[in-house]
Every structure is written in C-alpha cells, then in structure tokens.
C-alpha cells in the first residue's frame, strides 16, 4: 500500500477485508493484491475493486462495496 493511503486508514481496510473474506467463506473467490501509490493521494484511502477505483474508502464504505 502507498504510505499516504496506509496512513489514512487502508491498514484498517485491509484488516476488515481479510476478516470479511474469511467470515463469508470467499477465499476461493476473492484475490487481494496490494499496490503502490496510484498518485491520487488526496483522495485516499483508495481501493480498486474489479478494476473500478473507489476513493475515500473507510470500513463502512468498504462493507457496502463488498456487499454489492
């Protein structure tokens, strides 16, 4: 993770994501890949899901995205 997104909360998002995957038995369906800086630090934390960039992601927003 880029240091700016990490400092803005992506470390918590990663913990939440790993727990969500485990609790919902999605290990075989979801691949988590980290990336370095996407050069949009002011919008972070940033998360890409299925090729779509999401900005300002917190645990609540991440849960909504995953539930979709």
């Amino acid at each position: 993770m880029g240091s700016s997104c990490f400092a803005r909360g992506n470390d918590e998002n990663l913990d939440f994501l790993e727990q969500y995957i485990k609790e919902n038995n999605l290990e075989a369906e979801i691949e988590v890949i980290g990336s370095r800086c996407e050069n949009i630090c002011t919008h972070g934390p940033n998360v890409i899901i299925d090729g779509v960039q999401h900005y300002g992601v917190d645990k609540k927003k991440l849960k909504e995205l995953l539930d979709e």
Side-chain angles (χ1 to χ4, degrees):
M1 285 185 259
S3 58
S4 178
C5 283
F6 186 84
R8 292 172 184 247
N10 252 358
D11 58 331
E12 294 175 15
N13 286 341
L14 179 60
D15 290 341
F16 176 82
L17 179 58
E18 290 173 340
Q19 188 65 33
Y20 183 95
I21 290 169
K22 185 177 180 179
E23 288 175 358
N24 291 281
N25 299 314
L26 298 170
E27 292 91 344
E29 298 177 43
I30 296 178
E31 181 178 16
V32 177
I33 301 171
S35 69
R36 292 289 184 200
C37 184
E38 299 290 330
N39 294 314
I40 46 176
C41 303
T42 59
H43 300 299
N46 304 300
V47 175
I48 300 171
I49 300 175
D50 291 333
V52 178
Q53 183 87 40
H54 301 275
Y55 308 102
V57 177
D58 58 13
K59 289 188 284 188
K60 180 182 177 188
K61 186 171 182 178
L62 184 57
K63 180 168 181 0
E64 291 172 2
L65 292 168
L66 294 170
D67 286 344
E68 286 179 15

